Amino acid sequence: MSVFNQSRKNVVILVFITMFIIIIGQLANLQLFSSGLSEAALAQGTFRKVIYPERGIVFDRNKNAILENTTTYDLMLTPNKLKGIDTFGICKILGIDTAQFKKKVVELIIKNGRARASVFEGLLSPDKMAMLNESMYLFAPAFFMQERSMRTYPYDAAANVLGYTSEVDTSFIRKHKDEGYAPGDYAGLTGIERSYEKVLMGQRGIEYWKRDNKNRLTEKLENGKYDTTQVAGQNLHTSLDIKLQELGEKLMQNKLGSIVAIDPKTGGILAMVSAPTYQPKYLTGAERKKHFSELYSNPALPLLNRTVNAEYSPGSTFKTLQALVGLHEGVIAPSFSVSCGGAFYGCGGGKPMKCLDYGTFNLRNAITVSDNTYFATVMQRVINNPKYSNADSSLNLDSSLAVWNRYMYAFGLGHKLGVDVPTERKGFIPTPAYFNKIYGSHKWNYCSFRSCSIGQGEVTTTPLQVANEMAYIANKGWYYTPHVVDSIDGGDKFELLKKYKIKNHPIDIADSVFDVVHDGMQGVLERGTGGNARVKGINICGKTGTVENYYRGKKQENHSFFCAFAPRENPKIAIMCVVENSGRFGGTYAAPIVGLMIEKYLKDSITDKGRLAKIESLAKLSLIPKKIYAEMRIQDSVRHAGDSAYLIAKGFIKIIKDTTGIDDDSEEEQAINKLVKEKQEKEKKDKEEEKKKIIKPEAILPNEKKKTIETDSLAKKDEEQPQ
């Protein structure tokens, strides 16, 4: 054989050997190192099943389960496996047509891609689940049923406190990208479901199953060697008294407003009623989106948690704090007396502030009869206190008002308390900087804001802050930050409860100062304006408030306020109630509601027939404001563009979005996109109206000319106030 042919033979052999090595290498790579193809091959004969853990159970203070779980199923779809599926058959079971089917598939592909399993229909009804079970093999592997733990509510109460869960969307996953969420997961969106999501959610598990030739699951892959175990969420123990909560919600039926009750010794919230409310189960199940839209657009704002998200002038309930400041600053003594001849004339005869009670009163009696002139005088003395004198009198005013600000901040006003219920608002306590902006630098004095002395004007508070104020006074100068959750099974590994164990003792005010205020507050029930809150055998300290409020410069019906703590000797409950736009005094409606709540909590039950009849009469009493009632009737009868524009123009949509924490591209947002689109033309007109002059409430003589403030910032602030 020639050298040339020998060379060719060697080359051919080398080529074949090289090709053989490449083929063997590629096979090894596919078998041993290529995870993508190995997973694809594995998927042909196996099924990866996500095991969703049960969320933690929530208990009230008496160990009653108030939030539990039940098992249901979601129908899942992987779009890229749809080929050859009996589309007509599954449409028949689900009660939809093929056009709806195709639309849903497209939506899921846009949302999560073709290869990812997504919820095609969530929380299946028992009937649909039974029909699918019989013929699921016909729709596999594209469709499968995913076991799901769904929330159940043993008590039809506390919806705004507990909150609700919903399937996470792309917006939520982006926002919480490092927290392990995936499409198909559920998360808490409001209430303590949101605040304690980390401990309630638990950890997902994974199971791998073998399939037969008809795509039916047969047995676990390698006896569960690759499975991971799901871990249930941690249970929460709350301070809520669910029976007290139920009573509060019953008493506030057909009304707007709220009740907040706190254990002053611990800061634990006993009841947190926002009215109107809704059934907590209303936002679970297949009809959740429909129900959410109905609640979202309701003019009475049932989704708004008024206990933490509504702000009101506190009215005469604020006078107790003015008394503490005046006594501690030394500008008055308990015996200090003021005479009222019909009005406060401390700002000149041309600017009287009406006084409902004629006579001469010391501090105790001034609290009891709620004398405006007395507390206007007290605050005037605080602001004009020579202790803060300066060569520049305007700086004296700045520093004395700043001192007053610090007192109010210490009492828990003007800032968020830090409650474990989301979307708390901070209220408002005016500062020197605020008045400099409104009136011009140092072009104001005490008479510019004298209405603040009686809890009107610029001062606003949340119901939670007023209840906490009562806890502070009951404890004679300290409080724990109000909270719903007391403990977590398995420990507080994220230190979510740490701040609720810290006693806040901001100012060292003598017990004797508080004793004087207690005397006056006990007198409110014994011989003053709070007699309707009396409970036999219990010494209650309380304070009424009749709160003026304005909307777009037009006076509305007064709010009814009452706050209290009991028993005086060893306070176990601090409580407040506000009934919006009741049109009557604080002692008319809010006081009897508070009295019944105190009786229920301290005596465990109400057995007197007369008191039981009082509960029923208050529950049946409708105090829904006329303008809200009219809108509710319109909404119930005709849902048209005008209604939607009205809701958006009045700021209702913004308020609800603030309190629920809804993201702009969430499912809930999609449910109301129609409402948002309808606002365009209406908004143009409303912007013009917002620039008009508005009147700030000053609680002065009805025929007095009220000051007008023309700033857009104040107009906007007034627009956002729940009325």
Side-chain angles (χ1 to χ4, degrees):
M1 182 181 293
S2 69
V3 175
F4 175 76
N5 288 335
Q6 182 67 36
S7 177
R8 288 183 61 189
K9 178 181 177 181
N10 291 338
V11 170
V12 170
I13 292 172
L14 181 62
V15 169
F16 274 100
I17 291 173
T18 302
M19 291 178 62
F20 180 75
I21 292 173
I22 291 172
I23 292 170
I24 294 298
Q26 182 63 12
L27 287 172
N29 176 59
L30 293 175
Q31 291 291 326
L32 302 176
F33 306 110
S34 179
S35 60
L37 288 176
S38 63
E39 288 177 5
L42 187 65
Q44 295 298 319
T46 62
F47 174 72
R48 180 180 181 273
K49 183 179 181 182
V50 178
I51 307 299
Y52 288 101
E54 286 198 348
R55 288 179 71 83
I57 299 172
V58 179
F59 299 90
D60 83 339
R61 67 187 298 107
N62 297 312
K63 296 183 171 54
N64 297 307
I66 57 177
L67 185 52
E68 294 182 311
N69 303 295
T70 189
T71 301
T72 185
Y73 288 84
D74 292 341
L75 180 63
M76 308 294 290
L77 167 67
T78 307
N80 66 357
K81 297 181 179 180
L82 268 173
K83 188 176 180 180
I85 295 299
D86 181 7
T87 302
F88 179 77
I90 200 163
C91 285
K92 185 177 180 181
I93 292 174
L94 298 178
I96 60 176
D97 57 34
T98 53
Q100 292 171 306
F101 178 88
K102 292 175 181 177
K103 180 182 177 183
K104 184 66 176 178
V105 171
V106 170
E107 289 174 353
L108 293 183
I109 291 173
I110 293 172
K111 182 179 178 181
N112 295 320
R114 295 177 179 274
R116 180 175 287 167
S118 303
V119 178
F120 189 83
E121 181 167 330
L123 309 176
L124 294 166
S125 68
D127 290 341
K128 289 181 181 178
M129 200 162 63
M131 288 187 287
L132 285 168
N133 267 328
E134 292 179 1
S135 51
M136 200 66 219
Y137 70 95
L138 296 173
F139 313 126
F143 285 96
F144 64 92
M145 287 199 294
Q146 175 70 61
E147 188 175 309
R148 169 77 64 191
S149 177
M150 186 180 76
R151 287 308 215 180
T152 58
Y153 304 87
Y155 297 88
D156 193 12
N160 278 298
V161 186
L162 299 174
Y164 62 85
T165 60
S166 179
E167 183 189 356
V168 299
D169 52 27
T170 53
S171 172
F172 187 96
I173 293 172
R174 282 199 307 270
K175 191 174 180 180
H176 304 272
K177 60 183 179 180
D178 298 323
E179 297 178 26
Y181 290 101
D185 288 354
Y186 276 57
L189 295 189
T190 61
I192 61 173
E193 289 272 34
R194 174 73 254 152
S195 301
Y196 293 91
E197 169 69 9
K198 285 184 179 180
V199 298
L200 287 171
M201 66 183 290
Q203 297 178 17
R204 295 187 302 272
I206 304 294
E207 292 179 353
Y208 293 92
W209 289 77
K210 293 181 180 179
R211 296 179 186 270
D212 63 15
N213 59 354
K214 291 186 177 181
N215 284 311
R216 292 175 297 196
L217 303 184
T218 56
E219 60 182 356
K220 286 189 176 182
L221 182 66
E222 296 194 27
N223 295 318
K225 178 181 177 180
Y226 303 107
D227 294 354
T228 56
T229 304
Q230 57 88 17
V231 179
Q234 294 172 261
N235 298 335
L236 304 182
H237 296 269
T238 73
S239 54
L240 286 174
D241 184 323
I242 195 62
K243 297 295 184 182
L244 187 67
Q245 179 78 22
E246 285 182 321
L247 175 61
E249 292 188 10
K250 180 174 183 176
L251 292 168
M252 291 298 290
Q253 285 178 176
N254 305 307
K255 302 168 188 68
L256 306 184
S258 62
I259 303 171
V260 180
I262 297 173
D263 180 346
K265 293 293 189 290
T266 66
I269 294 173
L270 306 172
M272 205 172 202
V273 177
S274 181
T277 186
Y278 59 93
Q279 294 179 315
K281 63 183 178 183
Y282 207 55
L283 292 181
T284 61
E287 296 288 298
R288 193 189 73 83
K289 286 186 180 180
K290 174 187 173 185
H291 294 161
F292 184 90
S293 294
E294 292 172 0
L295 293 172
Y296 197 101
S297 59
N298 188 327
L301 308 182
L303 286 175
L304 174 68
N305 188 351
R306 286 172 162 85
T307 63
V308 294
N309 211 254
E311 296 176 300
Y312 311 86
S313 295
S316 293
T317 61
F318 196 63
K319 294 172 182 175
T320 55
L321 301 182
Q322 297 285 37
L324 292 176
V325 176
L327 288 170
H328 191 247
E329 281 293 296
V331 297
I332 63 167
S335 59
F336 174 70
S337 298
V338 171
S339 296
C340 178
F344 168 68
Y345 293 98
C347 289
K351 293 186 176 181
M353 186 162 70
K354 188 175 182 181
C355 173
L356 298 177
D357 299 280
Y358 293 78
T360 300
F361 308 102
N362 61 21
L363 179 56
R364 290 178 175 85
N365 290 330
I367 293 174
T368 295
V369 302
S370 197
D371 182 63
N372 286 349
T373 297
Y374 191 96
F375 293 99
T377 303
V378 170
M379 187 173 181
Q380 187 175 44
R381 286 184 163 223
V382 171
I383 297 302
N384 296 334
N385 191 345
K387 180 165 58 174
Y388 307 106
S389 61
N390 188 290
D392 186 339
S393 60
S394 63
L395 294 180
N396 168 46
L397 186 62
D398 275 8
S399 59
S400 59
L401 180 59
V403 169
W404 181 83
N405 291 151
R406 286 195 290 273
Y407 274 105
M408 295 304 149
Y409 194 93
F411 297 152
L413 307 183
H415 63 97
K416 296 178 181 179
L417 289 168
V419 67
D420 52 355
V421 177
T423 69
E424 180 190 6
R425 300 185 76 169
K426 63 182 181 179
F428 185 73
I429 298 294
T431 63
Y434 171 81
F435 287 126
N436 285 338
K437 183 177 180 180
I438 298 304
Y439 296 102
S441 182
H442 306 121
K443 294 181 180 179
W444 48 275
N445 56 37
Y446 167 69
C447 293
S448 304
F449 56 88
R450 69 196 188 284
S451 289
C452 292
S453 65
I454 58 171
Q456 294 278 178
E458 290 79 8
V459 174
T460 62
T461 58
T462 66
L464 178 71
Q465 288 173 331
V466 177
N468 186 66
E469 167 196 326
M470 288 295 101
Y472 173 84
I473 295 174
N475 292 331
K476 297 184 178 180
W478 59 269
Y479 67 90
Y480 286 103
T481 300
H483 55 277
V484 173
V485 176
D486 280 338
S487 64
I488 303 171
D489 279 354
D492 183 19
K493 60 184 178 182
F494 298 107
E495 295 190 336
L496 299 176
L497 304 180
K498 185 177 180 179
K499 66 179 179 180
Y500 303 122
K501 310 300 181 184
I502 300 171
K503 181 185 286 190
N504 300 289
H505 196 292
I507 302 176
D508 188 17
I509 299 177
D511 285 0
S512 58
V513 170
F514 287 98
D515 288 335
V516 174
V517 175
H518 289 192
D519 288 343
M521 293 176 69
Q522 186 171 341
V524 169
L525 280 89
E526 293 178 348
R527 59 187 181 278
T529 54
N532 284 334
R534 283 197 292 262
V535 178
K536 187 176 181 180
I538 301 175
N539 286 331
I540 300 174
C541 296
K543 187 71 193 75
T544 55
T546 305
V547 181
E548 290 189 358
N549 64 100
Y550 288 77
Y551 182 71
R552 291 181 182 255
K554 184 177 179 181
K555 191 178 186 308
Q556 306 296 305
E557 296 284 357
N558 293 332
H559 299 324
S560 176
F561 264 65
F562 189 78
C563 55
F565 63 87
R568 177 179 176 176
E569 301 78 13
N570 180 26
K572 296 179 179 178
I573 182 171
I575 184 170
M576 76 80 60
C577 173
V578 55
V579 182
E580 292 183 24
N581 303 121
S582 72
R584 300 301 298 276
F585 299 108
T588 308
Y589 299 122
I593 289 173
V594 166
L596 289 164
M597 293 286 284
I598 289 174
E599 182 175 0
K600 169 65 177 173
Y601 182 68
L602 295 182
K603 294 188 174 184
D604 191 49
S605 62
I606 299 174
T607 57
D608 180 80
K609 291 183 179 179
R611 301 289 283 171
L612 292 172
K614 186 67 175 176
I615 292 174
E616 297 303 321
S617 64
L618 282 169
K620 292 176 182 177
L621 179 66
S622 178
L623 297 173
I624 301 281
K626 292 179 181 178
K627 65 184 180 69
I628 299 297
Y629 182 69
E631 287 301 321
M632 290 172 67
R633 290 190 63 183
I634 292 172
Q635 187 192 59
D636 288 342
S637 58
V638 183
R639 295 180 181 273
H640 53 61
D643 299 330
S644 303
Y646 174 88
L647 292 170
I648 295 165
K650 297 297 184 288
F652 294 164
I653 298 299
K654 181 182 184 301
I655 292 170
I656 294 299
K657 287 178 73 173
D658 288 345
T659 197
T660 56
I662 291 172
D663 293 320
D664 288 340
D665 55 351
S666 67
E667 289 185 7
E668 282 77 10
E669 179 72 2
Q670 294 171 20
I672 58 138
N673 271 344
K674 184 178 179 181
L675 299 181
V676 177
K677 290 178 181 178
E678 291 166 348
K679 76 179 182 179
Q680 302 301 326
E681 291 301 320
K682 186 68 176 175
E683 273 189 339
K684 294 179 181 179
K685 297 178 182 178
D686 290 337
K687 284 181 181 179
E688 295 300 320
E689 292 182 13
E690 287 176 1
K691 295 179 181 179
K692 294 180 181 179
K693 295 180 180 180
I694 64 166
I695 301 174
K696 287 296 294 182
E698 294 197 284
I700 56 180
L701 289 172
N703 60 354
E704 179 185 345
K705 181 179 179 181
K706 295 180 173 62
K707 182 181 302 179
T708 59
I709 301 175
E710 299 184 47
T711 64
D712 288 343
S713 61
L714 277 182
K716 181 180 180 182
K717 181 177 182 294
D718 192 61
E719 283 291 290
E720 293 177 351
Q721 298 289 331
Q723 297 296 329

